[in-house]
Amino acid sequence: MPTSNPQSSACVFCAIVNGGAPATYLYQDDLVVGFMDIRPVQPGHLLVVPRTHAKLIAELQDSILARMWSVATDLNRALRVSPLPVEAVSVYVADGEAAGQEVAHVHIHLIPRRADDRFGFRFPPGYGVQPARAALEAIAEQIRPGVASTEAPPPSGD
Ligand SMILES: [Zn+2]
């Protein structure tokens, strides 16, 4: 493992990626580790974490983010071909406490789903009402200044 990766001694996921805390591992490489969630929502609930300690997605390098997604997709496939009851898979990141993040080290959840599993998001009152286009534009206008690049990539030329 690269020694330049910052780690947090107080972080349980840092301990797991270093082998300093017990875990049921599914996958390990130089950038990411996949292991079973110890409080599964459903059997097969697993996590993909970067070896680098970071609380939020935006703190990670693109190369690590890309690897996390790639490994999560491989593990998604593994869930679907397993004998576990997997009708679908919820893939999500709780990016901050208000989103439900309980461990301050980025992790992708993969949760096997069944139509009758009674797990899901709880939507606020008013959800489902379609806002006017002007309202969507006004909100988008508040987000666009922070977007790294709003220009289309140049033509590839081939
Ligand atoms: Zn950590």
Side-chain angles (χ1 to χ4, degrees), residues 7-8 11-15 51-54 104-105:
Q7 303 278 311
S8 169
C11 174
V12 64
F13 286 177
C14 282
R51 288 191 180 277
T52 300
H53 180 82
H105 183 130

Side-chain angles (χ1 to χ4, degrees), residues 29 45 48 51-52 62 72 76 96 116-117 127 130 134 143 148 151:
D29 67 23
H45 182 175
V48 176
R51 288 191 180 277
T52 300
D62 285 353
N76 188 327
D116 63 351
D117 65 21
Y127 171 76
Q130 190 171 327
I143 298 168
E151 296 180 71

Side-chain angles (χ1 to χ4, degrees), residues 35-142:
F35 54 91
M36 303 304 295
D37 192 304
I38 59 167
R39 292 194 302 163
V41 172
Q42 298 291 332
H45 182 175
L46 60 92
L47 304 174
V48 176
V49 310
R51 288 191 180 277
T52 300
H53 180 82
K55 178 182 177 185
L56 301 175
I57 295 171
E59 298 169 3
L60 288 169
Q61 298 171 359
D62 285 353
S63 59
I64 296 173
L65 292 166
R67 182 74 63 81
M68 287 178 70
W69 187 254
S70 175
V71 170
T73 302
D74 286 344
L75 293 174
N76 188 327
R77 291 189 187 101
L79 282 170
R80 288 172 183 272
V81 300
S82 78
L84 294 166
V86 181
E87 294 176 19
V89 180
S90 284
V91 181
Y92 82 94
V93 176
D95 201 34
E97 288 98 343
Q101 185 174 19
E102 294 179 341
V103 176
H105 183 130
V106 179
H107 49 292
I108 298 175
H109 291 264
L110 275 78
I111 304 175
R113 301 297 308 276
R114 302 184 319 275
D116 63 351
D117 65 21
R118 304 184 65 191
F119 174 70
F121 288 107
R122 188 179 67 247
F123 294 102
Y127 171 76
V129 177
Q130 190 171 327
R133 180 66 55 196
L136 292 175
E137 282 294 335
I139 291 169
E141 206 47 50
Q142 297 176 68

